[in-house]
Amino acid sequence: MIQKTEKQALLDWEEFLEGIRNSTPVDINETEEEKAKRIAFLEKEGNEEEWFKYYFPKYSFAKPAKFHVESAKRFIYTKRIAQSRKWARGLSKSTRRMFEVFYLTFAKKFKTNMLLISKSEDNAVRLLSPYKGNLEANQRLINDYGVQEKPGSWSEYEFVTRGKCAFRAVGADQNPRGSRLDELRVTIIVFDDVDDDEVCRNPERVDQRFTWIQKAVLPTVDISGDYRIAFDNNVIAENCCTLRFAQYANDDETVNIRDEYGKSVWREKNSEADIDDMLRLLSYEAAQGEYFNNPISKGKVFTEMTYGKCPPMEDLPFVIIYADPSPSNKDKPSLKSKAKNSCKAVSIIGPLNLKYYLYKCFVDVTTNYTFIEWLYAARDYVVQQSKGKVQVYVYIENNTLQDPFYQQVLLPLIFEIGKERRDVLGVTPDDRDKPDKYFRIEGTLEPLNRLGQFIMNIEEKDDPHMKRMETQFLSVSPQSKTMDGPDSVEGGVHIAKNKVFITDEPGNGIMMVKRKTSSKRY
């Protein structure tokens, strides 16, 4: 059985090599003069993408995006770079890196002594195999730069070319020492798929792995030489080596599957339909981690949410529509980012008999225009459900640092959409000086949820927005970066509590008393 497996592996490898050979034909009638002229053109600075496309047509089936081109130039032309690419799945992290390493090796005559580091040795070997395969079988590389395979120094774990360029696969926590090639120390380190789900669940193991990276791997380069260090991994956990390395990188970039305008960042390869089809197969948590560099882990504050039937809206004393434009607290919006996307939330909250009902919500990464459309949709929903028989209050979070954004971006959109509808929405800015988001949500909403006094509309349970709201509640923690939905609920509940005090008094029904502001309360 083992022999059969080894035989099959050899057959698969030969098939892989044959695919490379077939995809890289050369012009046998090309003269030496024409060949030299072509190579000179391809190697000319500014023609890097032409070089990639010519030598790797098998991989270059889609035109590169702008972020691909700019990142490649920085990696190639920065003599000492520590580059962090937090690119989403499907954005060609590993393939692009191979292009760049080979460009340095052949076009720039860089003395390559490379370590490819991954979460395991097997994974490192797998990721290094395209390098080995192209050095063996890429007819265009061989035709222009000579035969690369060197007998006696050629294994799947480590290989040295005839031009004395070395490539070695190293699994996490293995010993990378002794990677010197004659007098040449390591000149390129590529970390690819180093973070592991199991390891990231244990903070001590993450500490150990990153300590290994800093103490055992990084010092393999020559401190006074030219070197390239790359860390290619989407962010899979709130505590991971990827985020830690980014703190030390002198070139740190985060690219999600969709840009700040909600469009595919690589439209030439990933269409909107392609992205939608994939996201439809994934939970909100999985999609955020794999495609938006926003890992969501289960918190301990809210372990489960309560769903139930909401009372008729006309029975409520009033309804609060609360909108969180995000960012908030430490992540303040700037006027420069007014057109960009962020996770935003609108919640429709109704209080009755000491309970707070979340009738409907809108929670998603979206534009400011859509966010304001949500506000109008929320008001329409209340009017329809209550037949116009309940008072509606609409609030938008607007602390001191957000005020220019509210005045210069959101208000004009409110009037623009209102003018189109011939019905301008009345909105009150919530200028409360809020304490930390996590502590607000925990202090205000956790007791209500635990006592069954915060109820989410059972009729909306399968709505994507309500699902995202529940996911964000269940992931609430001091480290969580995605709490915009719960934050909007907290804002609405806080206003409701201060607007009316509800008591059950026989014969008197419901009494509404305006609460006096206390200087000792937030």
Side-chain angles (χ1 to χ4, degrees), residues 111-113 150 160-166 181-184:
K111 295 181 179 179
T112 297
N113 184 9
K150 183 179 179 181
V160 181
T161 70
R162 297 189 182 193
K164 290 190 175 181
C165 292
L181 180 63
D182 294 333
E183 78 287 354
L184 183 65

Side-chain angles (χ1 to χ4, degrees), residues 204-222:
E204 290 185 4
R205 294 187 66 185
V206 177
D207 290 342
Q208 291 171 359
R209 180 155 296 181
F210 196 68
T211 298
W212 171 79
I213 288 172
Q214 290 197 305
K215 289 186 175 182
V217 181
L218 297 182
T220 59
V221 302
D222 186 348

Side-chain angles (χ1 to χ4, degrees), residues 71-83 97 100-101 103-105 108-116 185-191 217-218 220-222 225-231 245 250:
S71 182
K73 288 183 178 180
R74 296 195 301 271
F75 183 75
I76 291 168
Y77 294 108
T78 305
K79 290 188 175 181
R80 294 181 188 172
I81 190 169
Q83 187 175 69
R97 190 65 75 193
E100 295 153 11
V101 170
Y103 184 86
L104 280 167
T105 302
K108 306 305 290 182
K109 307 300 185 286
F110 185 71
K111 295 181 179 179
T112 297
N113 184 9
M114 174 179 146
L115 297 181
L116 195 154
R185 293 177 65 87
V186 171
T187 57
I188 298 177
I189 302 175
V190 175
F191 296 93
V217 181
L218 297 182
T220 59
V221 302
D222 186 348
D226 293 344
Y227 51 80
R228 309 306 196 267
I229 301 172
F231 209 106
F245 181 85
N250 59 9

